[in-house]
Each structure stands twice: as C-alpha cells, then as structure tokens.
Amino acid sequence: MEATTNDKRKKYLLRTLTITALLVVINVAASYIHGRWDLTAEKRYTLAPSTRDLLRRLDAPVEIEVYLKGDYPAGFRQLSDASRELLEEFQEYGGRNIRFAFVHPGTNLPDSMRAAFQDSLMAKGILPFNLQVQEDQHDAFAERLIFPGALLRYKGREAGINLLRSQPGMDPMQALNSSEALLEYKFANAIYQLQQPEKPLVGYMLGHGEPEGPNIYDALKTLHEIYQVDTINLKTDPFIPRDFDAILFVRPMATFTDADKLKIDQYVMNGGKVLWFIDNLTASTDSLRGRDFVAFDRNLQLEDLLFKYGARINQDLIQDMQADLIPLVVGQLGDKPQIRPVPFPFFPLLTPGNRHPIVRNMDLVMSRFVSSIDTVKGGDIRKTVLLASSNRSQKMQAPVMVSLESVQRAPGRQEYRQSDIPAAVLLEGRFPSLFAHRLPAADRQAFEAASGRPVKASADTIGRMILVSDADIVTNAVSPKEGPLQMGVNEYNPQYVFANKEFFLNSMEYLTNATPVMDTRNKELTLRLLDSRKVAQERGKWQLVALAVPVAAVLLFAMIFQFIRRRKYAA
C-alpha cells in the first residue's frame, strides 16, 4: 500500500516537473518565435509588403515622437491608440530601429518657450487643431491648441506629418476612420523620404508666361522640401534634359510652337513624366473684380499634342452646385451693404473620381474656373479619372459669360443634370510621338545635334503624365496681412484647408516613383456603426439581456457543477 502511494507521488511529481519544464520551454521559445493573426475582414492590422520591406532595410534608428498624449476626447484617444498599435507593428519588422514615444507638446515649458516650440512644429508641417475642452463640469468651454501629428528623426534629418484629417460635411467618425486608414502611408512615406540620399529632380517650366510670383509660392516651397527643383525655359533651352525625373507646367499663357512641342514630345518619348495644370480659357479670379467678363480660348495650341497622348481639354467651363464660397453683396441694411458668403458655381469642389492611390481617402479639392476633359478611345494608353465634378453639374461652352449677378438666382436642378465630369486624368502607357513621320529633315537634324540623341517615333518604356484642367488647384491666394497662403485655402474662409496640396504631392510622387509605399493608401477601414434608431427601439431588451444572461450563465454553471459533484461522490 505504501509502495503504491509512493509510486503515485513520484508519478504526480514527474508530471508536475514535466508540465513546468514544458511551460518554461514554451515561454522561452515565445520570446524569440511568435506570430500574429489578423482576423479582421479588411486586414486592419496587416502591413503592406512594401512597408515591411522598408522597415526590414532600416540601417539606423528612426525616432518617432507622437503628439497625442493627454486628456483628449474619445476620438483623439482612438487615433492615439491606432497610432500606437501601428508603431508596435512597425517594431515587429524594424526591431530596435523603430523607437517611438507619445508626448504632450510643450509640457513643463514656460509660455514663451512653449510658443516657440509650437511655432517650430508648424514650421515642420505639423498643423495645430483648436480643441474645445471643459476643465471642470462647472467651467465654460475653453479652446486648447493641440498638434495631432508626429515628428520623425533619422540620421540627423527630420520630417513632420499630420495624423488628423477632416472634411466639411463629413461625419466626425468617418473623418477619424479615414485618418486611421492613412496612418500606415503617412509613417511609411515619411521614413522612406528620410532615407533617400538624393532627391528626385523636378523641372518648373518657363517661357510661356507661367507664374513666378507669390501666387505660386506654396507650390514651389512644397516642392523644394521634397525634391530638387530647377527651372527650364522652353523657349531658350534647346531641349529638356533627361536628368529631370518630371517637369511641371502651371498656367502657360502663350502659344506653343511646333519647336516647343517637339522638345516636350521627345522628353516624353525618352521616359520623361509631365504634370500639366492648364487653364484653357481666359478666366481668372482677378477677372471677377470687374463683375462681368467673357472667358474665351487662350489659344495655347496644345490640342494636337495632348490628343496624341490620349486626352483633350475642352473649350468650356464646369458649373457645379457643390462649389466653394465667395463673398457677395446680397442686400442693403440702411446705408450698409449686407455681405454673405455664397457658393459660386464656377468654383467647383472636385471629388476624387477613382480608387487610385493618388486620390484614395482624399478630401475635396478646391478649384477655380475648371474645364472638362475628354479621353480618346483606343490606343495603348490607359486613362484614369482622378478628379471629377459632383452629380449636380453642367458644362458651359466657350465663350462663357461669367457674372456674379447669376449667383443671386437660385440654380435649378434641371440645369445641373450632368455628373462626374472629368477635371484631372492620369495617362499611362507607351506614348506615340506627335512628330512621327511628319518632322522635316532639317528640324530633325537640328534637334538631334542639339540634344545628342535621335528623334523617336514612340516611347521605349511605359510613361506617365497627369493632365489637370485648372491651374488654380496649385496656386495660392495672397493675403494683404499674412502674405502667401497655403494652396487649397479660400482667402475669405481660411479656417479650412482643402486637399489641393495632398493631390499635388501625391501626383508628383506617383510620377517620379518617389514613394514605393503609395500602395498603402489603398487601405480602407470599414466603419461599422450601430443603427441608432434600432438601438433606441430595442434599448430595454438589450439592457435586460446584458443584465440577466451573465447571471443566468453563472447560476446554470453552478447547478451543473453541483450536479456532477454529487453524482461523483454519491457512492
């Protein structure tokens, strides 16, 4: 009997030691080998392959400061949690080269130093947000300036990113969801840009009356932060060097000759990328000061070149009921005029017209006097509409009478029956040359002698260009007090910034291949909201279920356990 008891004790001891040793082995192995399973339908917690490759190739630490620490409303806390979860996932692939901390900007700093610190964040592109907070339930609401962004440092270089985005008329939860969907792209893109030893070279085209003053300040400043930028005079330079990764046309105003178009054409045939912002008609915001004017053809003579590449800017202007505001005198109050901002149909707010990475998860884009674009059927050129009008728009054929007085008349829905009129198009493919079999021998020899390369009848590689039928998308207003404003800002309503800069940068990044992580913009998070009406109707039932089911489950478990115990020990 005693031997049997000792055998049982040894058996139990051996079993205990085995289980303990197994647990130790499992824990040690788990510290080195572990995995994750993303069970969400949209793969919310799965990084894109390009992001994983980027993180694995890091050769130095990336230090990240996220300015989302503090007593914030639930929406900001959710954005903070999503950022933390993403950066923890970054650490899975970047290891010790990803270091992050959540901080409150300006904590424990005197007011003077805090103001200077906040100014430095704004200089790095991290924009503030006015948050209304109530310190105590008896206190009134007060405004607090917060910076929902992050600062990244890598090998002595810095980059700031904004994590919060919003859109007029968008539900706050949807805006937050859109912000979370772009977190991976923003962090990965910033890391990639910091890694690049040499920036792509972009050429700003001159020679046809393109703007060079304060109205183009923000676009050129933005380009200089990411790219090397130089100017090219199409009139005086004999050709466009292939060293330029992309060239940019902004509101040319003079006629393009065949010699000008040959230089552009051969640059495209040799793999060059072009971003066009064209005003086809003579309509501008400055013309509105005269109250009424007629917009007519600017006679750029680019139709044949663009048509050969697969698109055409029409001689018209788009009117849209989804439009930006303009101050207008709507009446008199005594001897004082009553001024009220009203939507101006010639200022459409363009909608991202496709799920392409350039415009995915992007807000509305502010425009002024935009023309429609037609694409040419057939050929090897793929056409993708990037920006379009709303579903309540129409086209006015040139010459167009533009009058502020027309705003006072309520627009009829019968007039605005067109929808999704293209205003920006991406063209991709092997572009054919406009001058194939039609260039005089003397001109061919002169160009080949100047450029040092033969004239090509078609492109050897897949090319890209983006055609936008409004230059005001990338120009900026100039305030008498503050000077040049940011692009996408209405000088009469500066509280909101439209997505003009985002569209401009995304377009340039796509053309120059500057961001291989652009595919991460395709991530889409599904917003699963409760049906508020159904919740109100069935509130009592679900409260009863939430209260009674757990109690009933515990009682049922206790009864079953007691029943089994009695049967076991009944003998």
Side-chain angles (χ1 to χ4, degrees):
M1 187 73 177
E2 185 177 352
T4 303
T5 304
N6 290 335
D7 290 342
K8 286 184 178 181
R9 287 178 181 176
K10 291 180 181 180
K11 183 179 179 181
Y12 291 146
L13 180 60
L14 181 61
R15 185 181 299 175
T16 302
L17 292 176
T18 302
I19 294 175
T20 303
L22 183 61
L23 290 176
V24 170
V25 171
I26 292 175
N27 278 274
V28 171
S31 63
Y32 294 96
I33 304 173
H34 60 280
R36 297 184 177 192
W37 289 270
D38 189 349
L39 302 179
T40 59
E42 65 271 23
K43 299 301 178 183
R44 176 187 293 255
Y45 304 105
T46 301
L47 299 182
S50 57
T51 303
R52 297 198 295 264
D53 292 341
L54 173 72
L55 297 173
R56 289 189 182 110
R57 292 197 306 266
L58 286 173
D59 58 353
V62 177
E63 297 179 352
I64 305 172
E65 284 186 0
V66 184
Y67 302 115
L68 281 174
K69 182 179 181 181
D71 186 15
Y72 295 146
F76 287 94
R77 290 200 300 271
Q78 181 178 338
L79 185 62
S80 176
D81 293 341
S83 301
R84 184 182 299 277
E85 291 170 356
L86 176 70
L87 293 177
E88 288 174 351
E89 194 70 20
F90 274 30
Q91 284 185 329
E92 290 296 313
Y93 297 94
R96 296 181 180 180
N97 284 329
I98 295 293
R99 305 171 183 175
F100 66 89
F102 283 69
V103 299
H104 191 292
T107 305
N108 301 325
L109 291 177
D111 293 341
S112 58
M113 296 182 64
R114 184 183 299 112
F117 178 72
Q118 292 175 349
D119 289 342
S120 69
L121 292 182
M122 287 186 281
K124 293 166 185 171
I126 303 176
L127 303 178
F129 180 84
N130 280 325
L131 180 67
Q132 287 192 344
V133 295
Q134 190 177 21
E135 302 294 345
D136 186 78
Q137 61 179 352
H138 302 294
D139 294 339
F141 283 93
E143 287 191 351
R144 184 200 301 173
L145 201 64
I146 66 172
F147 289 81
L151 184 66
L152 293 85
R153 298 184 180 93
Y154 176 78
K155 292 184 177 181
R157 302 172 64 186
E158 292 184 335
I161 57 175
N162 294 293
L163 305 180
L164 180 68
R165 62 198 306 271
S166 60
Q167 177 178 330
M170 179 183 286
D171 182 85
M173 290 300 297
Q174 292 178 338
L176 180 64
N177 202 60
S178 179
S179 300
E180 288 187 36
L182 285 173
L183 285 177
E184 180 181 344
Y185 167 74
K186 290 187 174 183
F187 279 107
N189 182 43
I191 293 173
Y192 179 81
Q193 298 296 343
L194 288 173
Q195 279 187 310
Q196 300 314 299
E198 185 175 347
K199 300 178 180 179
L201 179 60
V202 175
Y204 182 69
M205 305 304 295
L206 298 174
H208 292 79
E210 291 85 355
E212 299 181 71
N215 292 95
I216 197 68
Y217 172 80
D218 188 45
L220 295 180
K221 175 178 174 290
T222 301
L223 282 179
H224 275 286
E225 292 173 353
I226 304 176
Y227 304 94
Q228 300 179 72
V229 183
D230 201 356
T231 57
I232 305 173
N233 193 308
L234 200 60
K235 287 293 185 185
T236 59
D237 292 348
F239 64 97
I240 302 174
R242 67 175 69 186
D243 298 334
F244 287 89
D245 296 279
I247 59 175
L248 171 66
F249 284 95
V250 179
R251 190 182 286 146
M253 303 178 69
T255 302
F256 284 75
T257 64
D258 283 347
D260 299 330
K261 289 184 280 190
L262 176 61
K263 299 172 187 178
I264 301 171
D265 181 83
Q266 289 305 299
Y267 171 74
V268 172
M269 295 306 105
N270 284 278
K273 314 299 192 300
V274 188
L275 179 54
W276 303 87
F277 289 94
I278 305 294
D279 283 344
N280 221 20
L281 302 187
T282 58
S284 66
T285 308
D286 293 337
S287 303
L288 283 175
R289 297 175 183 176
R291 304 291 292 181
D292 300 341
F293 68 91
V294 177
F296 51 88
D297 182 17
R298 202 181 289 275
N299 192 32
L300 297 176
Q301 295 295 322
L302 285 172
E303 292 84 1
D304 54 351
L305 184 67
L306 297 177
F307 189 84
K308 193 69 175 179
Y309 297 155
R312 175 181 61 207
I313 301 180
N314 296 314
Q315 302 290 331
D316 59 22
L317 290 179
I318 298 175
Q319 283 191 312
D320 200 326
M321 292 185 68
Q322 178 181 273
D324 198 16
L325 305 177
I326 187 172
L328 190 68
V329 177
V330 296
Q332 293 285 133
L333 184 61
D335 58 346
K336 296 182 178 180
Q338 286 185 300
I339 300 177
R340 187 180 65 190
V342 296
F344 190 46
F346 287 105
F347 290 0
L349 296 177
L350 301 175
T351 305
N354 197 276
R355 298 169 69 87
H356 194 275
I358 293 177
V359 293
R360 187 71 177 268
N361 293 317
M362 199 175 72
D363 296 347
L364 300 175
V365 173
M366 183 182 76
S367 70
R368 303 283 188 265
F369 301 114
V370 58
S371 300
S372 66
I373 298 178
D374 286 341
T375 55
V376 182
K377 292 184 179 180
D380 297 329
I381 309 302
R382 183 173 61 186
K383 300 92 178 178
T384 305
V385 176
L386 299 178
L387 297 177
S389 66
S390 73
N391 57 0
R392 299 174 298 168
S393 53
Q394 66 172 349
K395 294 186 286 188
M396 305 279 292
Q397 297 298 323
V400 183
M401 171 62 73
V402 181
S403 172
L404 288 176
E405 301 300 332
S406 63
V407 182
Q408 298 179 355
R409 179 178 63 86
R413 290 187 174 270
Q414 294 300 321
E415 301 175 13
Y416 296 81
R417 292 184 296 178
Q418 295 177 281
S419 63
D420 303 322
I421 303 174
V425 176
L426 168 66
L427 307 172
E428 297 176 285
R430 296 182 185 274
F431 294 105
S433 172
L434 174 65
F435 296 92
H437 313 300
R438 54 162 283 188
L439 186 64
D443 293 343
R444 175 189 296 271
Q445 293 173 2
F447 182 82
E448 290 178 347
S451 63
R453 57 179 185 249
V455 173
K456 295 183 178 180
S458 63
D460 297 330
T461 58
I462 300 297
R464 297 172 178 174
M465 72 172 60
I466 296 176
L467 179 62
V468 186
S469 59
D470 178 30
D472 289 296
I473 287 178
V474 290
T475 59
N476 56 264
V478 180
S479 169
K481 295 182 179 180
E482 301 177 13
L485 302 178
Q486 183 177 341
M487 70 177 81
V489 172
N490 186 338
E491 59 182 316
Y492 305 110
N493 183 29
Q495 287 77 22
Y496 183 77
V497 181
F498 290 95
N500 295 46
K501 180 177 290 190
E502 185 178 357
F503 173 73
F504 177 51
L505 288 178
N506 290 350
S507 299
M508 190 61 71
E509 287 173 6
Y510 188 77
L511 292 181
T512 59
N513 293 313
T515 308
V517 296
M518 182 166 276
D519 61 325
T520 59
R521 290 184 58 86
N522 284 330
K523 178 175 284 189
E524 186 173 2
L525 305 184
T526 303
L527 191 62
R528 298 178 175 87
L529 300 177
L530 296 177
D531 187 336
S532 57
R533 183 178 179 182
K534 193 173 182 180
V535 168
Q537 291 175 348
E538 302 181 5
R539 180 178 179 181
K541 180 182 74 174
W542 290 109
Q543 284 180 333
L544 179 62
V545 169
L547 179 65
V549 168
V551 175
V554 171
L555 293 175
L556 180 62
F557 174 78
M559 292 172 62
I560 295 174
F561 178 78
Q562 189 69 15
F563 175 76
I564 294 174
R565 186 172 180 274
R566 285 182 177 179
R567 288 194 61 181
K568 182 177 181 181
Y569 297 103

